Amino acid sequence: MNSTSPRAHILVVDDEEGVRDLLGDALRVAGYSVSVASEGMSALTALRGAAADLLIIDINMPVMDGFELLEQLRKKGDLTPALMLSARGEKADITRGLRLGADDYVTKPFGLEELLLRVGAILRRTQAAVVENSVLRCGA
């Protein structure tokens, strides 16, 4: 199990079935709950049904690419942490992803161990902030 939340939920958004399967399996073995979407529009639909603790978003996808997905989420005030995953490693793409509100950017090909460490780091930072800002009340 990961050390942040026993079952942090991660939504993997990638149009390549092999990548979705690989990431899903690795994340489940690491103790996370995982759901998948094949492109941006289906990711938005999935998020309406169940919130995620982290999004792993590919950039190059049909219908709605990863940049458009992240931009739409941020415009709606959705601050779900996001890790961009792409074969596009140009500085302009990395800068765009981070400016749109991504928490991290990983280029393909990637090492699974490094990706899992980045996922854990993002969740530690973001879930700790939620706990620190919580208000607990007891009695009147």
Side-chain angles (χ1 to χ4, degrees), residues 127-137:
Q127 291 182 338
V130 170
V131 171
E132 289 172 10
N133 292 328
S134 296
V135 176
L136 301 176
R137 297 178 199 264

Side-chain angles (χ1 to χ4, degrees), residues 62-74:
V63 184
M64 176 186 288
D65 71 22
F67 289 138
E68 293 169 311
L69 170 60
L70 188 58
E71 190 171 23
Q72 283 214 7
L73 289 170
R74 297 305 188 240

Side-chain angles (χ1 to χ4, degrees), residues 67-117:
F67 289 138
E68 293 169 311
L69 170 60
L70 188 58
E71 190 171 23
Q72 283 214 7
L73 289 170
R74 297 305 188 240
K75 280 183 181 177
K76 288 193 263 183
D78 186 329
L79 299 177
T80 303
L83 183 150
M84 302 300 286
L85 185 63
S86 180
R88 295 165 60 165
E90 293 81 28
K91 284 187 179 194
D93 291 320
I94 296 168
T95 300
R96 182 176 178 198
L98 295 172
R99 284 201 173 139
L100 286 172
D103 295 87
D104 203 349
Y105 192 108
V106 175
T107 56
K108 294 177 183 176
F110 56 89
L112 271 179
E113 183 178 8
E114 179 184 350
L115 184 78
L116 291 172
L117 290 170

